[in-house]
Amino acid sequence: MKKKPISVLLAAAMTAGLLAGCGSNNAKPAETPAETPAATTAKAETGETTAAPAAAEGDKKYEGVELTYWSMWTNNEPQGQALQQAAEAFEAETGAKIKFEWKGRETKNILSSALEAQEKFDMFEDDYTRISKNYVNYVADLTDMAKEAGYADKSYAVFNNQATEWAGFLPCVTEQPSVGGVFYNKDIFDDCGITAPTTWDEFMTACQTMKDKGYQPLALDSTYAPFLFGYHLSRHIGQAAVEDLATNGGWSGNPGVVKAGQEMIDFVKAGYLADGAPDEYPASQNKIGLTQKIAMVVCANYITAEVNANTGTELNWGLFAYPSVEGGVDNTSTFAGANSIGITKYSENPQAAFDFAVYLTSGKQSQNMADLSNNIPADPSNTPPAVQSGTNEVLINTTAPLSWNMGLNANADKISVIQEVIVKLYEGSYATGEDFAKALDALY
């Protein structure tokens, strides 16, 4: 364990938290195909552009091209600094000049009208769900360009496949992924001789082992109670069924709800929650760093930077996928989201824009973005920073992304009261899973 100045760590956590705010609410693609000979594609692992060397010696492929890029970051943020560095390198190699307009997080509030009016910009950043669904009529189809560039080998299939399913074509390039699961202190696991559990039974056994060694297994703040229970419930019945129940009720009639509720009741009764949990945010997660006696927390990847920043402690973090449950209908999906890059359908230089997007998000430029911002690299072949250890393995093995709270957010009018019932579940207010399910039905 190392100590860092809190001011430095807090800045990193604020950046990660902002990312979560705009990218993980609804883990939520771009194009006009242009022909590119296969020989023009450069190797992503070197960080080189997909643009080919010009035929005439001394010429650059995109000399005289200017691309306007609307960014959700600011030029002072680590992500903004990485963007500027990549743009300078890209211009030196290809001749294309990138003109940034730093829109900040409010970009999502102005994009729809700007795209409809065909304002003069070539590229923009936003959550991949909104690009794939809300802006699908205004972004370029990147399918052919991606195939020509071998983009599949430089990106996570889970985001490309989901975006393509939503839009009917590849509408965006993943810039900064996020992922959720069980984040844990590797030092505690090592002390207890525990390897990452893959099933609920193994998870419960690991919790008892940690408790016997004087550790508290799981931190939980009330803010993230729906995320934890939503993960567990979706393992039993799948996210689509969770969405239906959240919208229409009928919780008591689903045996999976009763079983999931009972398993959480048993978990609480066994004493596997940290002292005081479910606390008010961020008290419980902070205890992970302050006491160094709490082993795990279920959340998205920004949690690691938050805990490190809030406590001034650099923990030895790891991540494993939420465990499978016996008889579960979805034991492989993982919460995943991505801030991504779309290319306007009306851009005059879609190939140059795509080449820059891939240049930015692969090879050495992707590594630079990850290192500067302490986040997951967009290129799976890169190495996540220590604070994001294990994230790329979980994303590579994810076949389908789950949304935030795994379907519980489907009913905006009910989510706050659903959360109250779930918090009571972790407070020990229900004797049985049936009682918990009935409490949820009483909300309708």
Side-chain angles (χ1 to χ4, degrees):
M1 176 203 73
K2 303 182 215 175
K3 290 282 185 180
K4 281 190 175 181
I6 289 182
S7 60
V8 173
L9 291 165
L10 182 56
M14 289 175 67
T15 299
L18 286 168
L19 164 68
C22 59
S24 51
N25 292 346
N26 293 329
K28 309 196 187 251
E31 75 259 329
T32 292
E35 293 187 6
T36 305
T40 67
T41 302
K43 296 180 180 178
E45 53 269 21
T46 67
E48 295 171 1
T49 179
T50 56
E57 185 177 355
D59 289 345
K60 295 180 178 179
K61 181 172 183 179
Y62 295 126
E63 194 73 59
V65 170
E66 181 175 279
L67 300 170
T68 299
Y69 190 125
W70 279 21
S71 178
M72 63 179 286
W73 310 109
T74 68
N75 60 341
N76 292 321
E77 289 181 289
Q79 290 89 343
Q81 294 168 13
L83 279 167
Q84 293 174 96
Q85 292 170 15
E88 291 171 3
F90 188 72
E91 181 178 2
E93 293 184 24
T94 70
K97 181 177 180 58
I98 314 298
K99 177 186 175 183
F100 290 106
E101 294 190 17
W102 307 104
K103 300 296 183 179
R105 303 308 182 271
E106 295 307 307
T107 185
K108 64 180 181 294
N109 298 326
I110 61 175
L111 270 173
S112 183
S113 58
L115 288 166
E116 186 174 357
Q118 295 193 13
E119 290 195 32
K120 298 296 288 182
F121 59 99
D122 302 274
M123 311 171 68
F124 64 93
E125 297 162 332
D126 199 7
D127 181 279
Y128 90 131
T129 301
R130 284 191 291 269
I131 296 175
S132 305
K133 294 182 176 181
N134 298 8
Y135 313 139
V136 63
N137 294 326
Y138 306 110
V139 295
D141 182 344
L142 306 179
T143 306
D144 291 342
M145 286 186 279
K147 184 177 180 179
E148 194 68 42
Y151 177 62
D153 295 330
K154 311 164 191 175
S155 55
Y156 290 102
V158 61
F159 300 120
N160 298 336
N161 294 343
Q162 182 63 80
T164 298
E165 180 181 330
W166 283 332
F169 55 84
L170 181 64
C172 59
V173 170
T174 299
E175 180 192 45
Q176 190 161 294
S178 61
V179 65
V182 186
F183 291 87
Y184 67 101
N185 185 332
K186 290 181 179 179
D187 292 340
I188 293 178
F189 272 46
D190 289 345
D191 186 45
C192 295
I194 297 170
T195 57
T198 59
T199 69
W200 184 249
D201 287 344
E202 291 173 355
F203 185 77
M204 292 288 280
T205 299
C207 287
Q208 186 61 51
T209 300
M210 286 183 274
K211 184 180 177 183
D212 292 343
K213 288 271 290 185
Y215 295 106
Q216 299 172 39
L218 190 71
L220 178 64
D221 290 303
S222 57
T223 298
Y224 296 126
F227 189 83
L228 171 59
F229 183 72
Y231 232 138
H232 198 70
L233 182 59
S234 69
R235 285 288 188 254
H236 279 283
I237 67 175
Q239 179 167 280
V242 177
E243 291 174 350
D244 180 66
L245 290 171
T247 303
N248 303 308
W251 301 86
S252 300
N254 190 309
V257 176
V258 175
K259 186 174 183 179
Q262 187 62 54
E263 286 173 343
M264 285 302 174
I265 290 170
D266 295 341
F267 182 86
V268 172
K269 286 183 176 179
Y272 296 154
L273 280 182
D275 292 343
D279 282 309
E280 288 301 310
Y281 170 84
S284 193
Q285 68 180 50
N286 284 350
K287 293 174 186 175
I288 298 175
L290 292 172
T291 70
Q292 297 175 53
K293 287 294 184 181
I294 302 174
M296 301 177 291
V297 63
V298 178
C299 198
N301 58 287
Y302 60 82
I303 192 85
T304 58
E306 283 188 354
V307 171
N308 284 2
N310 292 345
T311 65
T313 303
E314 188 172 302
L315 296 176
N316 187 14
W317 289 102
L319 168 67
F320 59 89
Y322 195 88
S324 64
V325 298
E326 185 177 358
V329 303
D330 186 357
N331 282 321
T332 59
S333 295
T334 297
F335 165 76
N339 294 317
S340 298
I341 302 168
I343 298 172
T344 58
K345 197 171 188 176
Y346 50 83
S347 170
E348 295 178 359
N349 296 287
Q351 184 69 56
F354 175 77
D355 285 353
F356 178 62
V358 175
Y359 182 84
L360 171 69
T361 60
S362 63
K364 64 184 180 183
Q365 299 299 341
S366 169
Q367 188 69 63
N368 186 49
M369 171 79 83
D371 291 342
L372 286 177
S373 63
N374 246 349
N375 276 291
I376 306 169
D379 186 338
S381 67
N382 289 151
T383 303
V387 74
Q388 303 292 347
S389 177
T391 52
N392 56 349
E393 289 92 344
V394 172
L395 279 172
I396 288 170
N397 292 321
T398 299
T399 57
L402 297 169
S403 65
W404 189 255
N405 290 342
M406 294 71 184
L408 293 173
N409 288 2
N411 190 335
D413 295 330
K414 296 290 186 183
I415 181 56
S416 61
V417 289
I418 289 173
Q419 178 170 347
E420 291 174 5
V421 173
I422 292 172
V423 169
K424 290 181 180 178
L425 171 69
Y426 291 111
E427 290 175 340
S429 299
Y430 305 109
T432 65
E434 288 88 348
D435 292 338
F436 167 69
K438 288 176 183 178
L440 287 170
D441 275 334
L443 303 176
Y444 294 78

